[in-house]
Structures are given as C-alpha cells and as structure tokens.
C-alpha cells in the first residue's frame, strides 16, 4: 500500500483545500489521472474562474453603457464619449501581461481572489461620483480604473490553460472565455434595465448593482479554487516567448478577433446613436440593441474552440477572417445606403465571427508550441505522457503567449474606438473606419494562409 505524498492529487481533493489550496501533482495528459481526479477538480476551478472573469468583463465594459447616460447636462460630445470607452480598453490591455505573470507569482486561485476584489474600486467610484457637474477628468479617471476588469481575462485564461489536457484546451478555453465575454452583454442588459426603469438620471445604479456580485466572486474563488504548484516557477517564459516570431503573428490575429469583439462591444451603442440619430434619439432605444451582438459573440465563442479541435485552428481562423471582411463590407454598404436592417445584419455578423475567431485563435496557440517543441502525440491525439520535457516547454511558452496575445489583442479594442472617433471627426460618418477594418481582416486571412496553411517544408503540423 502506498502513502500519498503531501500535496499530491491522489489525496482526497477536499483535504487539498484544507491544506492551503495548493496542488503539487498535476498530470492532465495522464488518462487515468484525468479520469479519476483531474477532470473533476479542473471543472470546479473552471466554473469559478468563469464567474470571476464574467464580472471582470462587465466592469471593464461598463462604460459602453455609462456613456449612454451622459446627456447634454454633462457637456460631452461624441468624440469625448469615444475617448471614455477607449481609456478602459487601453488600461485593460496594458494590465493583461502583469496579470498573466501574477498567476505564476501568486497562484491562480490567490490571484483570482485579488483581481476580483480590485473590481470594487471602480464600481464604488462609479456608483457615487457619476452625476451632472462631475469633471470630465474625473470621468476619465473612473473609466481608467475600470480597466482592471480587462486584466482578469488574461490571468483566468493562463490559469485554466494549465488545468486541461491538450485535447480539451480548445473546449475549455472557449468555455472560459465565452462565459467571461458574456459579461459584456450582461452589463448592457443591466444598463438597459436601469435606463428603462429609472431613466438617464441614475448611472451610478449600474455600477452599484455589481458590488454584491464582486464580493461573491471573490469569496467563491477563495473557497473553491486551487493553485497549481508547477505554475509558480515558469520564470523567463514571457521573455522567451517574445523572441518567438509566432508570438507576434498570433497577437496580430488576435487583434482582429478579440480586438474587434471588445472594440465593437464598447462602441456599438454610440455608433448607433451617431450613425442613425433619427432612429435612436434616446439612449434606451440604442440600449435595446447594444447587448445583442456581444451576447451572440460570447455564446458562440466555444463553438470556435470546438471547430478548431475538429478541423484545425488555422483553417477555422482563415475562413473566419474572410467572413469578417464580408461582414464589414455589408456594414459599409448599409452605412452608405442608410439601411438600418442591413447595418444590423452586418454588425451582428461581425460580433458572431469575432467570437468564433476568438476560440479558434486560442486553440492555435498550444498547437503551435507543441509543434515547435516537438511534442510527440499518441494515437488519440494527446501528448505522450512520457515526453514530459517537451510537453512542459510547450505549456510554459503557450501560457506566456496567452498573456502577450491577450494584451495586444485587447489593445485592438482601443484601435477600434479611436478609428470610429477619428472617422466621425474627419468625415462625420464611420465609413473610413469600416474600410480600415476590411483592409485589416484581409491582411489577417492572408497571413493565416501564408504562415499556417500554405504547403511548405516549414509548415507546423497540427495547427
């Protein structure tokens, strides 16, 4: 009879929780280990990771709703409102790299508790300070602090990436990200409720509603999540991955998928009010539609991961960018013809395909490093459990790339809002922005084909 090593997964998982939430022995690629204990523990951590990340997304994108409350009494023009939505997107993108590193430094569970608790700061300030007469600089500061919610995604994805075997990464990361992305639609539904019931006089209620949810997220993470010991010592991974050309290629592609999703999520309500001012002459009318795109894009994100698991991430990503270019072309045509139905069809298509692309690009990341590190696969497509050194290196680099790509991709949300702002300032329409989006998506599908699909001796297998 063998004696379980302290901190080993072979002990009762409940005893691990009582011993400080640290798990020392984690072997997701081992089928027996995964079936007996691993899948159950990974699923529990995934559930609470999704909840915390969901609230983080809601706080991060709250200003996509709050700007609808800022009527004439606030004295802010459309360009100023686009800046208020660009600022949290910028801060969130910058925080994603340190948030990814924080998982290795503090542990996934510990950092989830900390990052969830930090969401109280922008929520409390938003609940009590947003009212007529507040200075624009104060609004910019509150919007900037809301950016802490954007970092939650990177730490959550890096954490969950370490829990799941390669064969399930597309599904797990898709579910995790999709549940988090739903926070965009959720906060817009909250904003719609407040606008419909209380009108534009109570923007602080939107932020106040999230205070108890934030407390629940922090408490749930503290009680039910775990830390993986092997994830603590991945030093120099971020430095090493920045030397890898695929890091910058995947970051560019992620600007096109996640950057589009979060950028359109921030800007959609404002664009409707400016582009179709006669139809959306009140904030509540715009709010009736703003949640729809983010909702569909979030729900379909896991589908992108599943399709990538079955068909290959590069193939799904390539087709997806072609579809996004077509969607942006529809939006451009609708804008020129002043056709609201066609406009909504094109924009919803952009949200849906950006969601699919989010899942497929994330699936590509671990596949790239498995191929680069020479990880041997079994007949079932899983990593060979005996090839531990190559598997570890692939996990180390893919986890770091998730942080880098997440940060750069989130910066795409800033670029989207700045593109809209400049287009409206220069041409009084968003047409120039739509043309820029079409060109960028074309660049992305050409790069995807050239690097990951084109037959060549250096092509990476399995991506």
């Amino acid at each position: 009879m063998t004696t379980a090593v302290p901190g080993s997964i072979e002990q009762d998982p409940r005893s691990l929780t009582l011993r400080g939430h640290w798990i020392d022995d984690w072997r997701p690629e081992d089928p027996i280990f995964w079936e007996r204990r691993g899948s159950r523990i990974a699923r529990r951590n995934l559930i609470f990771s999704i909840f915390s990340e969901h609230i983080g997304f809601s706080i991060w994108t709250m200003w996509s709703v709050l700007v609808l409350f800022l009527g004439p009494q606030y004295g802010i023009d459309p360009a100023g409102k686009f800046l208020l939505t660009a600022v949290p997107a910028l801060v969130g993108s910058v925080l994603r790299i340190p948030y990814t590193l924080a998982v290795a430094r503090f542990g996934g569970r510990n950092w989830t508790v900390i990052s969830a608790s930090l969401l109280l700061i922008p929520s409390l300030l938003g609940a009590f300070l947003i009212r007529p007469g507040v200075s624009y600089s104060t609004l910019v500061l509150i919007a900037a602090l809301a950016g802490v919610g954007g970092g939650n995604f990177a730490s959550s994805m890096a954490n969950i990436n370490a829990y799941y075997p390669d064969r399930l990464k597309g599904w797990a990361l898709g579910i995790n990200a999709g549940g988090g992305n739903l926070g965009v639609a959720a906060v817009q539904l909250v904003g719609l409720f407040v606008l419909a019931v209380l009108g534009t006089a109570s923007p602080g209620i939107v932020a106040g509603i999230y205070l108890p949810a934030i407390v629940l997220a922090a408490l749930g993470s503290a009680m039910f999540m775990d830390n993986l010991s092997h994830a603590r010592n991945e030093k120099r991974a971020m430095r090493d991955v920045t030397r890898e050309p695929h890091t910058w290629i995947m970051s560019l592609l992620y600007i096109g998928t996640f950057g589009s999703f979060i950028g359109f999520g921030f800007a959609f309500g404002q664009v409707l009010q400016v582009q179709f001012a006669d139809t959306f002459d009140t904030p509540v009318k715009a709010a009736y539609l703003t949640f729809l795109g983010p909702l569909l894009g979030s729900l379909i994100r896991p589908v992108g991961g599943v399709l990538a698991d079955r068909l290959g991430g590069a193939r799904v990503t390539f087709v997806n960018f072609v579809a996004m270019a077509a969607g942006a072309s529809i939006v451009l045509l609708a804008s020129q013809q002043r056709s609201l139905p066609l406009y909504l069809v094109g924009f919803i298509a952009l949200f849906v395909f950006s969601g699919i692309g989010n899942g497929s690009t994330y699936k590509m990341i671990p596949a790239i490093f498995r191929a680069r590190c020479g990880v041997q696969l079994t007949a079932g497509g899983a990593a060979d459990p005996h090839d531990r050194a190559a598997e570890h290196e692939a996990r180390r680099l893919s986890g770091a790339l998730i942080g880098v790509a997440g940060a750069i991709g989130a910066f795409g949300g800033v670029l989207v809002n700045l593109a809209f702002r400049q287009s409206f300032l220069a041409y009084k329409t968003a047409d120039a922005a739509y043309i820029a989006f079409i060109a960028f998506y074309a660049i992305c599908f050409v790069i995807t084909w050239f690097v990951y699909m084109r037959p060549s001796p250096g092509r990476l297998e399995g991506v």
Side-chain angles (χ1 to χ4, degrees):
M1 180 176 179
T2 59
T3 302
V5 178
S8 168
I9 199 66
E10 296 305 324
Q11 300 180 72
D12 185 341
R14 289 171 296 181
S15 69
L16 289 175
T17 300
L18 294 174
R19 290 175 62 82
H21 299 272
W22 285 100
I23 298 175
D24 298 323
D25 180 23
W26 188 252
R27 294 171 278 113
E29 300 294 348
D30 182 341
I32 297 176
F33 169 90
W34 182 254
E35 181 67 24
R36 288 181 177 176
R37 299 287 178 85
S39 62
R40 188 164 63 250
I41 293 173
R43 185 166 55 250
R44 169 163 49 80
N45 279 270
L46 176 62
I47 290 170
F48 287 94
S49 174
I50 289 173
F51 181 56
S52 178
E53 183 191 348
H54 176 93
I55 302 301
F57 259 98
S58 291
I59 302 305
W60 187 29
T61 58
M62 186 175 292
W63 279 88
S64 68
V65 173
L66 293 179
V67 292
L68 300 179
F69 287 81
L70 306 181
Q73 66 271 35
Y74 287 85
I76 304 173
D77 62 11
K81 292 180 181 180
F82 277 116
L83 184 60
L84 284 173
T85 53
V87 166
L90 175 62
V91 174
S93 68
V94 171
L95 288 178
R96 286 189 165 201
I97 290 179
Y99 268 55
T100 300
L101 295 173
V103 172
R105 176 66 179 85
F106 299 102
R109 171 256 185 190
N110 294 349
W111 184 249
T112 302
V113 175
I114 295 170
S115 61
S117 301
L118 288 174
L119 299 174
L120 289 169
I121 299 173
S123 300
L124 286 167
L125 293 176
F128 294 104
L129 296 184
I130 303 176
R131 60 189 64 186
V134 65
S135 67
Y136 184 71
S137 59
T138 299
L139 294 178
V140 171
L141 176 61
I142 298 173
L145 290 172
V148 298
N152 289 28
F153 174 84
S155 55
S156 177
M157 294 294 274
N159 186 39
I160 294 304
N161 180 62
Y163 274 98
Y164 278 83
D166 289 330
R167 69 184 185 279
L168 296 177
K169 281 188 188 295
W171 174 84
L173 294 177
I175 290 290
N176 189 56
N181 290 171
L182 278 172
V184 182
V187 74
Q188 291 173 348
L189 284 170
V190 169
L192 171 60
F193 172 79
V194 174
L195 282 170
V197 175
L198 301 174
T200 60
S202 305
I205 297 296
V206 178
I209 286 174
Y210 276 92
L211 292 173
I214 294 170
V215 173
L216 286 175
L219 289 176
S221 301
M223 295 173 63
F224 299 108
M225 290 186 71
D226 302 295
N227 303 302
L228 297 180
S229 296
H230 80 269
R232 298 183 70 186
N233 302 313
E234 305 298 357
K235 297 178 180 179
R236 300 185 300 277
M238 195 71 70
R239 183 198 66 185
D240 292 344
V241 85
T242 58
R243 299 172 178 174
E244 171 61 57
H246 292 282
T247 295
W248 308 109
I249 295 171
M250 290 307 303
S251 296
L252 180 70
L253 299 183
Y254 202 55
I255 288 176
T257 56
F258 182 76
S260 295
F261 173 83
I262 201 66
F264 294 149
F266 271 114
F268 189 34
Q270 293 183 79
V271 173
L272 285 177
Q273 281 199 295
V274 178
Q275 192 94 29
F276 297 94
D278 52 339
T279 302
F280 301 100
D281 54 342
T282 64
V284 70
K285 290 181 179 179
Y288 278 122
L289 292 173
T290 53
F291 75 93
L292 185 58
L295 175 64
L296 294 175
S298 301
L299 290 175
I300 206 166
R301 177 165 183 158
V303 174
V306 172
L307 288 174
D309 283 335
R310 296 180 179 178
L311 304 175
R315 185 181 302 175
V316 175
T317 299
F318 172 80
V319 174
N320 195 75
F321 276 124
V322 173
M324 290 184 72
S329 299
I330 292 172
V331 171
L332 175 62
L333 178 63
S335 175
Q336 293 174 341
Q337 296 186 351
R338 304 288 297 168
S339 171
L340 179 58
L342 189 62
Y343 189 86
L344 292 176
V345 168
F347 236 117
I348 289 173
L350 283 173
F351 274 110
V352 168
F353 287 114
S354 67
I356 292 174
N358 284 340
S360 64
T361 50
Y362 256 69
K363 173 60 180 178
M364 291 172 67
I365 291 173
I368 287 170
F369 286 110
R370 284 202 309 270
R372 294 284 286 174
C373 297
V375 175
Q376 301 299 313
L377 301 181
T378 64
D384 188 337
H386 301 292
D387 195 10
R388 299 293 293 273
E391 178 197 343
H392 175 80
E393 181 66 4
R395 285 179 176 275
R396 185 179 77 92
L397 294 175
S398 62
L401 178 49
I402 283 175
V404 174
I408 297 175
F411 185 71
V414 182
L415 298 178
V416 167
N417 279 269
L418 293 180
F420 278 127
R421 181 178 185 272
Q422 189 59 36
S423 185
F424 280 119
L425 282 175
Y427 305 106
K428 308 303 180 185
T429 74
D431 290 359
Y434 303 139
I435 293 172
F437 300 152
I438 295 168
F440 185 77
Y441 299 146
I443 291 171
C444 287
F445 69 67
V446 168
I447 289 176
T448 303
W449 176 84
F450 186 84
V451 178
Y452 299 112
M453 298 179 66
R454 177 177 59 95
S456 68
R459 178 180 174 182
L460 298 177
E461 295 297 327
V463 177

